[in-house]
């Protein structure tokens, strides 16, 4: 990640207690555990749900990681079945979603299953934030259909 | 100025497809040109225009500013000081060259108000040159109640040269224990100019306020400034 080349000093915008030296970490709620990396780490990310200025509210989805080429954001793929009334059968559909990935989730790979929560718009296409990562089952390809 | 809009309908969709124009530009989507606030030169006066905004409120569009309220975070004091120059801007070098004041610009500010506060708060000289007038105990005696404000700020070692009663000196001696200033800041005080970061948005509120850079942040920006100079 090209964070070391930033042109402005990266620091956390901490509201509240002035004397606190530590990293500000919050509990996202809804039963999601704050990763240890978020508490102990020293990264600065204002869009991180645990150490930044976003709140998780609204929808919670899960998806598979398909692309990790962007800085601090990934593309996930959500598969679902759509029922066709006339034929009484299902068809496969999918939607891609750009999702913000905080630096506290370090070992994320393609094919991992990821839980994302809705937050306010972070960019033109990103309104969701990764709040949990669970490893992929062995041998599943990223483009194959995975229903949850 | 109806040319600038803040709508999204001119942008492409995420898939790359174009969006058709649904309607003409509306007034509630309007944008205005940037104020590009400059530092008011020595003789000139500050210039701030008002703009009526949506809902009836007012925005103060700072166009030329010369002073701002700057705080010294580790000491918890703020003083109104003159802004001398822009020094660094993370977004755009052009803004430095044209001396444009924007939020998060690094500027040089006049150090004298902070030095005055320091010397009257801690009774210690701050980055004064070695050959100062040797009058640590001046003839003036303080009024009852240890009035220290009476010193002429221009006199060398003004507040320091009052003699005070032991009781009031105790207060200052306690403070002096925490008075130490890091060398990076001392150098700046010696030159009379401090590096500061703007935190207000001059084009929105008409003020150029900020805080003095300290610690890691100061190191970071000093490095950036030096790197630019050597290029």
């Amino acid at each position: 990640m090209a964070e070391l080349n930033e042109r402005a000093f990266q620091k956390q915008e901490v509201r509240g207690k002035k004397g606190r030296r530590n990293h500000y970490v919050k509990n996202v709620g809804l039963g999601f555990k704050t990763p240890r990396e978020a508490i102990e780490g020293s990264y600065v990310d204002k869009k991180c749900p645990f150490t930044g200025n976003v709140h998780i509210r609204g929808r919670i989805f899960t998806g598979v990681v398909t692309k990790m080429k962007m800085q601090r954001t990934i593309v996930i793929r959500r598969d679902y079945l759509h029922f066709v009334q006339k034929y009484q059968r299902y068809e496969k559909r999918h939607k891609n979603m750009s999702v913000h990935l905080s630096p506290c989730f370090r070992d994320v790979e393609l094919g991992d299953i990821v839980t994302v929560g809705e937050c306010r718009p972070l960019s033109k296409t990103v309104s969701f934030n990764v709040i949990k990562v669970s490893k992929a089952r062995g041998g599943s390809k990223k483009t194959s259909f995975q229903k949850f | 100025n109806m040319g600038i809009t803040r709508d999204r309908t001119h942008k492409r969709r995420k898939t790359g497809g174009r969006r058709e124009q649904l309607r003409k530009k509306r007034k509630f989507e309007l944008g205005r040109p940037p104020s590009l606030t400059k530092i008011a030169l020595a003789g000139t006066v500050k210039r701030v225009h008002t703009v009526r905004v949506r809902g009836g409120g007012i925005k103060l569009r700072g166009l030329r500013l010369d002073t701002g309220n700057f705080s010294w975070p580790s000491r918890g004091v703020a003083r109104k000081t003159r802004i001398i120059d822009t020094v660094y801007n993370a977004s755009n070098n052009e803004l430095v060259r044209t001396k444009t004041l924007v939020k998060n610009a690094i500027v040089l500010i006049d150090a004298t108000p902070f030095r005055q506060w320091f010397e009257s708060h801690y009774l210690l000289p701050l980055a004064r040159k070695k050959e100062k007038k040797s009058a640590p105990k001046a003839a003036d005696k303080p009024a009852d109640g240890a009035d220290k404000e009476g010193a002429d700020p221009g006199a060398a070692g003004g507040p320091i040269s009052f003699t005070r009663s032991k009781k009031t000196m105790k207060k200052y001696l306690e403070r002096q224990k925490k008075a130490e200033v890091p060398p990076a800041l001392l150098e700046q005080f010696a030159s009379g100019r401090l590096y500061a970061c703007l935190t207000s948005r001059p084009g929105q509120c008409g003020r150029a306020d900020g805080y003095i850079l300290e610690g890691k942040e100061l190191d970071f920006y000093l490095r950036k400034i030096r790197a630019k100079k050597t290029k």
Side-chain angles (χ1 to χ4, degrees), chain B residues 136-220:
Chain B
K137 283 176 187 158
D140 305 299
K141 289 219 169 124
D144 277 359
D147 170 41
K148 59 191 183 296
E149 241 64 68
D152 173 18
I160 302 173
S161 60
F162 275 129
T163 44
R164 288 170 173 78
S165 61
K166 258 195 183 165
K167 202 175 74 175
T168 53
M169 267 317 280
K170 215 172 97 173
K171 173 174 82 174
Y172 290 104
L173 289 173
E174 271 302 307
R175 285 184 187 169
Q176 283 175 4
K177 291 177 187 167
K178 299 185 193 158
E180 176 149 7
V181 177
L185 271 183
L186 268 184
E187 282 173 22
Q188 292 177 38
F189 272 107
S191 70
R193 295 165 176 213
L194 299 169
Y195 287 109
C197 181
L198 282 196
T199 50
S200 67
R201 301 172 72 190
Q204 304 285 312
C205 63
R207 293 168 197 268
D209 300 332
Y211 60 90
I212 296 174
L213 291 176
E214 291 181 286
K216 280 205 184 130
E217 211 175 340
L218 175 61
D219 295 335
F220 176 88

Side-chain angles (χ1 to χ4, degrees), chain B:
Chain B
N1 192 341
M2 289 293 284
I4 307 172
T5 47
R6 291 165 35 245
D7 69 339
R8 307 290 175 82
T9 59
H10 69 280
K11 302 209 77 165
R12 285 184 186 258
R13 300 166 195 272
K14 181 181 179 180
T15 55
R18 306 214 73 176
R19 254 190 272 247
E20 281 173 19
Q21 193 191 15
L22 290 175
R23 60 183 189 211
K24 292 182 172 185
K25 294 183 188 176
R26 295 278 191 266
K27 177 167 185 290
F28 55 78
E29 295 166 333
L30 79 79
R32 296 188 183 87
S35 57
L36 301 176
T37 319
K38 302 278 189 290
I39 302 177
L41 300 172
T44 58
V45 175
K46 78 173 189 191
R47 196 184 293 177
V48 176
H49 286 176
T50 54
V51 177
R52 182 199 177 272
V53 292
R54 180 141 202 259
I58 286 185
K59 272 189 190 174
L60 294 169
R61 193 126 287 170
L63 299 172
R64 304 232 194 293
L65 297 174
D66 55 353
T67 54
N69 193 31
F70 287 87
S71 71
W72 189 352
S74 59
R75 311 285 156 158
V77 238
R79 288 285 182 273
K80 180 170 159 184
T81 357
R82 203 169 49 93
I83 300 170
I84 299 172
D85 197 9
T86 56
V87 158
Y88 180 77
N89 188 304
S91 330
N92 192 348
N93 289 330
E94 187 74 27
L95 297 174
V96 179
R97 207 149 24 94
T98 49
K99 299 198 197 303
T100 307
L101 297 174
V102 281
K103 183 181 170 199
N104 214 41
I106 310 298
V107 294
L108 277 175
I109 59 171
D110 187 16
T112 37
F114 295 99
R115 175 188 265 163
Q116 283 168 355
W117 169 81
F118 186 95
E119 292 184 342
S120 65
H121 191 256
Y122 294 104
L123 290 192
L124 292 171
L126 185 56
R128 297 270 179 196
K129 294 185 189 144
K130 285 299 175 180
E131 57 260 307
K132 67 174 185 155
K133 282 192 202 155
S134 58
K137 283 176 187 158
D140 305 299
K141 289 219 169 124
D144 277 359
D147 170 41
K148 59 191 183 296
E149 241 64 68
D152 173 18
I160 302 173
S161 60
F162 275 129
T163 44
R164 288 170 173 78
S165 61
K166 258 195 183 165
K167 202 175 74 175
T168 53
M169 267 317 280
K170 215 172 97 173
K171 173 174 82 174
Y172 290 104
L173 289 173
E174 271 302 307
R175 285 184 187 169
Q176 283 175 4
K177 291 177 187 167
K178 299 185 193 158
E180 176 149 7
V181 177
L185 271 183
L186 268 184
E187 282 173 22
Q188 292 177 38
F189 272 107
S191 70
R193 295 165 176 213
L194 299 169
Y195 287 109
C197 181
L198 282 196
T199 50
S200 67
R201 301 172 72 190
Q204 304 285 312
C205 63
R207 293 168 197 268
D209 300 332
Y211 60 90
I212 296 174
L213 291 176
E214 291 181 286
K216 280 205 184 130
E217 211 175 340
L218 175 61
D219 295 335
F220 176 88
Y221 285 115
L222 283 178
R223 243 184 297 135
K224 291 283 183 187
I225 296 166
R226 275 182 215 131
K228 269 181 58 186
K229 276 196 195 149
T230 54
K231 264 192 192 163

Side-chain angles (χ1 to χ4, degrees), chain A residues 1-129:
Chain A
M1 311 225 177
E3 289 158 17
L4 301 168
N5 281 330
E6 293 289 355
R7 298 201 60 200
F9 184 72
Q10 302 293 301
K11 64 176 181 183
Q12 245 192 348
E13 290 283 344
V14 181
R15 285 162 292 134
K17 293 172 194 172
K18 200 177 116 179
R20 232 195 247 186
R21 295 294 143 96
N22 308 342
H23 210 50
Y24 163 77
V25 189
K26 72 168 178 261
N27 171 25
V28 145
L30 302 166
F32 288 102
K33 272 187 61 181
T34 314
R36 201 141 55 89
E37 180 63 30
I39 304 170
E40 297 169 359
S42 60
Y43 63 89
V44 178
D45 183 10
K46 64 181 179 185
K47 298 178 182 177
C48 170
F50 309 103
T51 60
N53 193 17
V54 293
H55 299 276
I56 303 296
R57 74 284 182 286
R59 306 259 184 193
I60 314 274
F61 292 136
T62 50
V64 198
V65 178
T66 45
K67 286 191 255 186
M68 294 183 43
K69 304 239 164 153
M70 294 187 275
Q71 284 184 10
R72 288 184 172 170
T73 125
I74 55 173
V75 176
I76 64 169
R77 179 196 167 102
R78 296 183 51 240
D79 297 298
Y80 57 100
L81 292 169
H82 178 246
F83 188 66
V84 182
Q85 186 73 350
K86 178 176 177 184
Y87 297 104
Q88 296 287 301
R89 278 174 195 142
Y90 291 92
E91 60 178 6
K92 289 182 190 175
R93 288 190 181 185
H94 82 276
K95 286 262 203 279
N96 282 357
M97 196 187 245
S98 290
V99 144
H100 187 265
L101 180 68
S102 166
C104 68
F105 296 106
R106 282 212 281 186
D107 300 317
V108 180
E109 288 162 355
L110 297 182
D112 285 350
I113 296 166
V114 128
T115 307
V116 296
E118 187 179 1
C119 54
R120 64 170 157 90
L122 303 175
S123 79
K124 178 182 170 194
T125 55
V126 178
S127 298
F128 282 79
N129 223 315

